[in-house]
Amino acid sequence: YGSENFLPQGIDVRDLPKVSRESLKLVKALGQGAFGEVYQGLYRHRSGDSVEMPVAVKTLPELSTGQSENDFLMEAAIMAKFNHPNIVHLIGVCFDMHPRFIVLELLAGGDLKNFLRESRPKAERVSAITMKDLLLCSLDVCKGSRYLEVQRFIHRDIAARNCLLTSRGPGRVVKIADFGMARDVYRAEYYKKGGKAMLPIKWMPPEAYIDGVFSIKTDVWSFGVLLWEVFSLGLMPYTGLSNREVMESVSTGGRLDKPYGCPLEIYLLMCECWNPTPSERPSFAQIFDRLQRFLQDPAITGAPLPVLRSLIGAV
Ligand SMILES: CN1CCN(c2ccc(C(=O)Nc3n[nH]c4c3C=[N+](C(=O)[C@H](O)c3ccccc3)C4)cc2)CC1
């Protein structure tokens, strides 16, 4: 391992927990990850164990370069740092041979954005999801983000697409599950990887895309956009605008509108996350308290979720 594998916080990828290849069984593909496939698998913790634990296995294609191999390992090293119920748990890595594996906890509900889109109340299926469900999802991501805030870790890509659900049913838990952007910054890669085109501009505050200034308040702005995604049931922010148009609009005071049917108090919290002055934005601890209070307010939790008629362009 070259020196570049040591993250500033002194993570040494050699400290990563190892998983033996023979204790793993890949069952089926779950989706196309940024690197290779993500599989559902079974992991036998100790060879004598009869019980096998369902896991997710991220694979790195054999034909990958040393660079992407380092990236892959780096993301695992970042996840290994964290221990929180709202951050995906790293079980271990399998780097003895190709294909390389990263073994993670299985989150069987899929990602938050698709969950929201597929849970939209329809005329025939009204009680799909409630305002309280949306608040609980938001609180889960907020708790994960608050933990990162305490760890003084900037995520840089908080968005519904990067969050996963333990299940789709009631009692679901949402977890932050992708650290690819933070990893790229460690390797100062994202500029090489296609520059601004690769940046999640619609989730970024002006000081980030204008001056390249990132802080925990960057993640607060992104969390505000995630709240907008949640309460718009998975719409793409700034529908129809290009990244360039979003940058021009937002840096001159333009903001997302209140999602149809979203309680005003929740929209006002989003707007506080979008304060042009980073230091004026609330902390995740403060956002947590606000969301908790909303959860206790029947006027908010009882608000009906609008049945989105076939709004043109809402798809
Ligand atoms: C109706 N059905 C419901 C079930 N559904 C799925 C779709 C995808 C998944 C899935 O990828 N689950 C994962 N569990 N753990 C990890 C996963 C991905 N990980 C990763 O690290 C992935 O890179 C990642 C990370 C963040 C977001 C997406 C993918 C770690 C599970 C169910 C399909 C539609």
Side-chain angles (χ1 to χ4, degrees):
Y1 302 96
S3 60
E4 76 278 1
N5 283 339
F6 288 85
L7 295 172
Q9 278 79 340
I11 290 186
D12 175 356
V13 286
R14 286 171 291 201
D15 295 342
L16 284 171
K18 300 284 179 292
V19 161
S20 68
R21 202 166 286 263
E22 56 272 3
S23 62
L24 269 181
K25 208 187 303 174
L26 299 191
V27 172
K28 66 171 184 171
L30 274 172
Q32 185 62 32
F35 282 100
E37 289 287 316
V38 183
Y39 291 89
Q40 179 167 335
L42 288 168
Y43 170 55
R44 192 185 297 274
H45 194 45
R46 272 178 292 278
S47 54
D49 281 3
S50 57
V51 70
E52 292 181 311
M53 179 167 92
V55 291
V57 182
K58 278 181 98 165
T59 62
L60 182 68
E62 322 229 353
L63 48 89
S64 59
T65 63
Q67 196 81 289
S68 55
E69 182 150 331
N70 273 328
D71 283 356
F72 193 65
L73 207 51
M74 202 67 74
E75 191 175 356
I78 290 174
M79 288 191 273
K81 271 172 62 101
F82 305 131
N83 176 22
H84 189 273
N86 298 107
I87 292 183
V88 68
H89 176 62
L90 173 88
I91 293 166
V93 297
C94 201
F95 265 63
D96 54 346
M97 292 188 311
H98 282 286
R100 314 291 198 208
F101 293 148
I102 294 179
V103 185
L104 298 158
E105 77 174 288
L106 177 65
L107 292 159
D111 73 271
L112 178 58
K113 182 176 174 83
N114 282 316
F115 167 69
L116 292 163
R117 299 177 68 82
E118 292 159 20
S119 304
R120 286 174 184 169
K122 309 238 177 356
E124 70 281 357
R125 183 175 51 95
V126 179
S127 65
I129 190 169
T130 65
M131 200 61 79
K132 184 168 183 177
D133 290 321
L134 300 184
L135 267 175
L136 289 170
C137 290
S138 307
L139 264 167
D140 280 347
V141 181
C142 180
K143 284 184 274 191
S145 303
R146 183 182 55 174
Y147 171 80
L148 295 177
E149 183 174 67
V150 168
Q151 304 291 321
R152 309 193 65 67
F153 183 89
I154 309 170
H155 183 278
R156 295 166 178 261
D157 199 6
I158 298 289
R161 63 178 172 274
N162 290 331
C163 297
L164 289 166
L165 282 71
T166 49
S167 77
R168 295 202 151 199
R172 68 187 73 81
V173 176
V174 187
K175 307 197 182 205
I176 299 170
D178 184 284
F179 288 83
M181 191 58 76
R183 179 267 335 278
D184 287 353
V185 168
Y186 276 137
R187 306 180 54 76
E189 282 291 286
Y190 63 102
Y191 277 125
K192 295 179 206 155
K193 273 187 187 166
K196 284 198 187 295
M198 294 285 282
L199 292 177
I201 295 292
K202 294 181 171 180
W203 282 261
M204 289 167 67
E207 77 274 2
Y209 56 71
I210 294 173
D211 308 315
V213 170
F214 286 82
S215 71
I216 192 62
K217 299 300 188 186
T218 313
D219 288 345
V220 169
W221 177 291
S222 306
F223 183 80
V225 180
L226 180 139
L227 278 180
W228 187 92
E229 291 184 274
V230 168
F231 287 90
S232 67
L233 297 177
L235 287 182
M236 169 57 81
Y238 312 98
T239 315
L241 292 192
S242 71
N243 279 350
R244 164 64 49 201
E245 289 162 332
V246 169
M247 288 160 85
E248 276 153 13
S249 162
V250 168
S251 53
T252 54
R255 292 294 182 271
L256 290 161
D257 290 330
K258 185 173 80 68
Y260 181 68
C262 172
L264 181 62
E265 300 90 332
I266 297 179
Y267 180 62
L268 293 177
L269 176 57
M270 295 178 204
C271 293
E272 289 181 48
C273 295
W274 302 328
N275 192 304
T277 309
S279 58
E280 299 289 308
R281 295 169 202 155
S283 68
F284 281 110
Q286 290 167 322
I287 295 169
F288 176 77
D289 292 340
R290 302 279 293 281
L291 291 173
Q292 277 284 51
R293 282 207 298 277
F294 293 157
L295 198 57
Q296 313 307 325
D297 181 346
I300 294 179
T301 53
L305 265 186
V307 176
L308 291 178
R309 283 167 300 286
S310 57
L311 296 178
I312 311 296
V315 290

